[in-house]
Amino acid sequence: MSYETVKSFSAKEKELTIKGAYSSSNVTDAYGRRVTEKFEQNYTNLKDFKDGLFNFVDGYFEGSARFSNSSTFVKRIRMLIHENLIESHPDKQFSDIIWHKVARSEKAFNIMIGKEKIELATYSIVGNENIVLRKLRSKIKLECDKKATVFYEKAEVKRIFDLANDCGWVGSYGLKIIEN
C-alpha cells in the first residue's frame, strides 16, 4: 500500500495559485531515494481558490492528504481547531465514524493563507542539568546540551512523559513538562 506525503505547500492569494511538492512511499530512484513530484494549481477566481484550499484541509482530515506534523499547513490546521472552525458530523451509515471538515468562513481562510496568526502553546520535556528528552521515530532518549523535541499537542507530550516515567527517568533526572 502506498501513500503520498506533501513535502511543501504554499497558497498565494494574489496569484490565485496553490503550489507544492509530494513524494510517494513506493516510488524511488536508482539510489533508493523517494522521487518528489511538483504540483501547481491555478485558479481563475477567488471563490475557486478558496474551495481548492479548503479541499486540501478536508483531505487532511479524511486522510487522503498527508502532511508532516511540523509543516506550516498542519500548524495552521491546529489554529483552526483552536478557534473551533472545524465542523464535525457523524457518518450517515456508520454512526461511530465522525467526519471533520473546515467551516467555510473568512476567518478560516485568513488563517490558512497566513493573514491571521494565533499563537499556540508548544511543550517540551526537560530535566536537571541541561538534560532533555528527545523523541525519535522509534524511540525516546535523554541527551545533554541538545535541543528538546517540541510537542504541539498536550496529549502527545503527556503520553511520552508517561513512557519516560515507566522507564524511571522522571524521578532520576527530574523530568518535567514545560510550555515553550
Side-chain angles (χ1 to χ4, degrees), residues 72-87:
T72 303
F73 184 84
V74 173
K75 289 176 185 175
R76 289 179 180 165
I77 287 178
R78 286 191 187 103
M79 291 177 199
L80 293 176
I81 293 169
H82 184 264
E83 293 294 310
N84 295 322
L85 293 172
I86 303 297
E87 300 169 348

Side-chain angles (χ1 to χ4, degrees), residues 11-174:
K12 299 193 191 259
E13 180 184 20
K14 290 180 183 175
E15 300 164 10
L16 298 177
T17 60
I18 294 176
K19 296 179 184 178
Y22 67 93
S23 66
S24 183
S25 65
N26 64 352
V27 179
T28 58
D29 64 6
Y31 301 104
R33 298 175 298 205
R34 287 189 181 170
V35 175
T36 301
E37 300 287 336
K38 293 182 180 181
F39 67 88
E40 181 175 347
Q41 295 175 344
N42 296 313
Y43 298 93
T44 56
N45 58 37
L46 188 60
K47 182 186 177 309
D48 291 341
F49 176 73
K50 285 182 181 181
D51 287 340
L53 183 60
F54 288 144
N55 286 338
F56 270 99
V57 178
D58 292 340
Y60 171 81
F61 284 112
E62 292 167 0
S64 60
R66 295 174 55 114
F67 290 84
S68 168
N69 278 338
S70 62
S71 70
T72 303
F73 184 84
V74 173
K75 289 176 185 175
R76 289 179 180 165
I77 287 178
R78 286 191 187 103
M79 291 177 199
L80 293 176
I81 293 169
H82 184 264
E83 293 294 310
N84 295 322
L85 293 172
I86 303 297
E87 300 169 348
S88 302
H89 59 86
D91 189 72
K92 293 177 182 172
Q93 188 174 3
F94 303 103
S95 60
D96 57 335
I97 297 175
I98 305 295
W99 293 101
H100 304 285
K101 71 184 246 182
V102 66
R104 277 19 185 202
S105 68
E106 197 62 32
K107 183 172 184 173
F109 176 71
N110 287 337
I111 288 172
M112 287 310 298
I113 61 171
K115 279 186 180 176
E116 189 171 329
K117 294 189 170 92
I118 297 154
E119 290 296 321
L120 298 177
T122 58
Y123 308 94
S124 297
I125 300 175
V126 298
N128 301 332
E129 301 172 15
N130 297 332
I131 294 177
V132 297
L133 185 132
R134 294 186 42 95
K135 178 182 171 273
L136 305 173
R137 283 187 178 182
S138 61
K139 63 183 176 180
I140 58 173
K141 65 181 186 175
L142 295 175
E143 291 186 349
C144 190
D145 295 327
K146 296 270 180 142
K147 188 175 177 184
T149 299
V150 175
F151 297 96
Y152 298 101
E153 296 176 14
K154 187 87 170 173
E156 176 71 5
V157 74
K158 283 184 178 180
R159 185 181 72 80
I160 299 298
F161 188 77
D162 290 341
L163 287 173
N165 193 23
D166 293 343
C167 296
W169 294 349
V170 173
S172 301
Y173 298 100

